[in-house]
Amino acid sequence: MSVIYLLLSLSILVAIIFFIAFIISVKRGQYDDSYTPSVRMLFDDEIVKEENN
């Protein structure tokens, strides 16, 4: 039974470490998309309807 408590506490500790690493990487801009805005104008397929007033 003590092995279950040990494994449970270790898994929670590892999950907390990964969560902290994820938060740090998001705050540092690791997941910011810098490529898509530069090529968005190349794939401009949407038709914009202008209203005549």
Side-chain angles (χ1 to χ4, degrees):
M1 192 70 172
S2 64
V3 173
I4 293 175
Y5 294 133
L6 177 68
L7 290 175
L8 185 63
S9 61
L10 284 176
S11 65
I12 290 173
L13 180 67
V14 169
I16 290 172
I17 290 171
F18 278 111
F19 182 69
I20 290 172
F22 174 73
I23 296 297
I24 290 171
S25 65
V26 167
K27 285 188 177 186
R28 289 187 180 174
Q30 181 72 30
Y31 298 109
D32 288 346
D33 187 14
S34 61
Y35 178 70
T36 301
S38 64
V39 297
R40 185 176 294 153
M41 67 179 191
L42 299 175
F43 302 107
D44 191 23
D45 292 338
E46 297 178 13
I47 299 173
V48 178
K49 296 181 180 178
E50 296 183 11
E51 294 182 13
N52 294 330
N53 292 331

